[in-house]
Amino acid sequence: MLTKRIIPCLDIKDGRTVKGVNFVNLRDAGDPVELAALYSESGADELVFLDISATEEKRKTLAELVLRVAAKIRIPFTVGGGISSVEDVDLLLKNGADKVCVNSSAVKRPQLIDELSSRFGNQCIVVAIDARQISGSWKVHLVGGKQPTEIDLFEWAVEVEKRGAGEILFTSMDHDGTRNGFANQALAKLASLVNIPIIASGGAGEISHFADTFIDGKADAALAASVFHFKDIRIDELKRFLKERNIEVRL
Amino acid sequence: MKIVQIDYGAGNVKNIQFAFERFGYSPVLTSDIDEIREADKVIFPGVGEASNAMDKLRRSGLHRIIPELSQPVLGICLGMQLLCELTEENNTIGLGIFPLEVKRFSNVVKVPQIGWNNIYGLKSHLFDAITENEYMYLVHSYYVPLCEETIAKCDYELPYSGAIRRNNFYGVQFHPEKSAAAGEQLLKNFLVL
């Protein structure tokens, strides 16, 4: 049976991991490759690298990082952050990324999704959607969730599927950082509207939150950053917990 | 041992390259017909859309060379599907080594299937030292139905072929180059077939 996936997310700035990563046993916790290898060996199913740097050399640094990650780790990984063209994606996939993730650039120019999926296949195109509730309705946000738009989350999700997204990474800005659990109601509604896999993101605090998002939120995968980086949750323990609750995972 | 990976502009070639390098082998990426014919082992990669990939094979003449190969050939993902006679993906005619038709998953399941799924009913030396129900990483919308050539099964919507074999031709639907230790074991096994 297809398993639910656990996906640690690494934020990258100028080729280094950022956000208080707390791994004493690593020679260099700031090295994304070392951290990726550690996660890969401890049972992570996939990894996401999100480049938050804004330098001119960004494209080159990210492409070089992808090459180093691909050489080292034996599980799939997705790369995102500022990707806005066919050329960007071509370089990252050639260097060994399995999937790429687009966000604001797709909202600004939805045609990008069609271009990417027809060129590279929908299996490697993840569309990330950041949203929060404004007066009771879910609105898509840009620039890492800072800038609101008038776009409805659910309409946008249906559109990105039609345009050729292979997967949706949904982050609830209302839940992100709260450690109170994922946005399971919105996730379940998304799952009823589209027929591509959905990655839940934002709100992971305890291991039970993952079970909730797989059962109540009907998510196919769950992504988290700080709970893994700070070792509040160990992936092997998390997976054993899920297995005991009859949630299919790779152990 | 000379390993080649067929270069036709439609593959996850870097990751396959890296996967072999991690255990000390260095496949040559080539579209050179003589080099492919002379290799001990041939990897036939494939990611993307079937009709474009077949066009590329035809333009380079590789569509005539591949079916004539007599050394072990391993088709991966779309590479495996293109070894078949026909695929529903844009009604594309494949290389015809396997007399099989590749089908699309129906929308009762999420398409594409993305993630780790277990393989079972393993029957080939390709799976030596790999346990029944081992997890492999898959990303695909089309599948090869169960058939005489099935050497590993997988379940998604229905039981289908996780791997197939006919004479010296092997195909795997999953990505061994992305399937952790078990995937690496399969690539090692392929080298000693």
Side-chain angles (χ1 to χ4, degrees), chain A residues 1-3 5 45 67 70-76 94 96 98-99 123 166 195-197 220 248-250, chain B residues 12 14-15 18 22 47 107 109-118 135 137 139 156 178-181 184:
Chain A
M1 220 169 112
L2 182 65
T3 63
R5 288 168 282 153
D45 295 305
L67 204 55
K72 179 94 181 186
I73 73 162
R74 302 186 292 191
I75 59 170
K94 272 196 182 125
D98 297 281
K99 298 185 259 188
Q123 80 291 335
N195 200 46
I196 50 178
D220 299 284
E248 202 69 28
V249 286
R250 177 179 70 108
Chain B
N12 202 0
K14 202 68 146 193
N15 281 322
F18 282 142
R22 280 193 287 268
V47 166
N107 284 336
V109 287
K110 293 198 176 191
V111 185
Q113 170 176 224
I114 297 182
W116 298 80
N117 201 336
N118 53 310
Y135 288 101
Y137 183 77
V139 184
Y156 192 66
K178 283 285 155 179
S179 295
E184 189 168 297

Side-chain angles (χ1 to χ4, degrees), chain A residues 6-203:
Chain A
I6 301 296
I7 309 178
C9 177
L10 285 72
D11 282 349
I12 306 295
K13 195 174 181 192
D14 305 323
R16 309 272 300 165
T17 36
V18 290
K19 262 192 195 172
V21 173
N22 184 23
F23 278 101
V24 284
N25 52 339
L26 281 188
R27 190 162 41 84
D28 178 4
D31 180 6
V33 182
E34 278 210 41
L35 192 56
L38 185 95
Y39 279 134
S40 161
E41 297 310 313
S42 64
D45 295 305
E46 237 177 273
L47 297 167
V48 169
F49 295 86
L50 216 51
D51 192 356
I52 57 169
S53 50
T55 54
E56 277 181 31
E57 303 82 45
K58 174 175 180 160
R59 241 181 118 221
K60 199 168 149 244
T61 345
L62 185 59
E64 280 166 7
L65 173 65
V66 165
L67 204 55
R68 290 202 299 129
V69 172
K72 179 94 181 186
I73 73 162
R74 302 186 292 191
I75 59 170
F77 66 98
T78 302
V79 183
I83 294 169
S84 58
S85 70
V86 167
E87 291 72 39
D88 290 347
V89 173
D90 191 44
L91 181 62
L92 295 170
L93 294 179
K94 272 196 182 125
N95 278 11
D98 297 281
K99 298 185 259 188
V100 295
C101 170
V102 293
N103 191 338
S104 301
S105 55
V107 176
K108 289 174 190 153
R109 200 172 69 81
Q111 182 69 25
L112 177 66
I113 304 169
D114 305 66
E115 290 168 13
L116 295 179
S117 73
S118 69
R119 170 78 184 268
F120 305 105
N122 70 345
Q123 80 291 335
C124 63
I125 308 302
V126 182
V127 175
I129 309 179
D130 298 336
R132 73 166 80 229
Q133 278 183 295
I134 298 176
S135 327
S137 63
W138 284 92
K139 296 292 183 194
V140 174
H141 282 60
L142 301 178
V143 209
K146 290 188 203 92
Q147 188 185 318
T149 71
E150 281 305 303
I151 303 165
D152 176 78
L153 161 66
F154 303 104
E155 287 171 16
W156 177 233
V158 169
E159 181 175 346
V160 305
E161 180 187 25
K162 273 202 195 107
R163 288 182 178 274
E167 204 166 21
I168 290 173
L169 165 57
F170 166 53
T171 304
S172 163
M173 307 312 297
D174 289 335
H175 295 70
D176 201 29
T178 65
R179 298 198 164 208
N180 283 331
F182 294 90
N184 295 325
Q185 271 193 328
L187 281 159
K189 186 169 172 188
L190 278 177
S192 70
L193 293 170
V194 300
N195 200 46
I196 50 178
I198 296 167
I199 306 167
S201 156

Side-chain angles (χ1 to χ4, degrees), chain B residues 131-184:
Chain B
T131 49
E132 277 286 310
N133 292 311
E134 182 59 77
Y135 288 101
M136 295 288 185
Y137 183 77
L138 301 124
V139 184
H140 63 126
S141 302
Y142 295 82
Y143 68 93
V144 174
L146 292 183
C147 55
E148 235 174 83
E149 290 83 358
T150 302
I151 53 171
K153 297 176 194 173
C154 194
D155 284 1
Y156 192 66
E157 186 191 346
L158 73 178
Y160 68 93
S161 295
I164 50 178
R165 181 200 170 179
R166 192 178 172 98
N167 305 321
N168 58 313
F169 290 92
Y170 295 78
V172 291
Q173 183 58 64
F174 48 86
H175 287 276
E177 77 279 13
K178 283 285 155 179
S179 295
E184 189 168 297

Side-chain angles (χ1 to χ4, degrees), chain A residues 167-243:
Chain A
E167 204 166 21
I168 290 173
L169 165 57
F170 166 53
T171 304
S172 163
M173 307 312 297
D174 289 335
H175 295 70
D176 201 29
T178 65
R179 298 198 164 208
N180 283 331
F182 294 90
N184 295 325
Q185 271 193 328
L187 281 159
K189 186 169 172 188
L190 278 177
S192 70
L193 293 170
V194 300
N195 200 46
I196 50 178
I198 296 167
I199 306 167
S201 156
E206 329 173 346
I207 51 175
S208 63
H209 293 156
F210 289 84
D212 294 344
T213 203
F214 292 137
I215 296 167
D216 303 332
K218 308 205 165 20
D220 299 284
L223 175 143
S226 59
V227 288
F228 297 137
H229 300 331
F230 289 110
K231 288 204 276 193
D232 297 328
I233 294 177
R234 285 181 44 160
I235 293 172
D236 51 351
E237 282 170 9
L238 167 61
K239 285 189 152 182
R240 277 198 295 274
F241 172 88
L242 294 170
K243 186 88 175 177

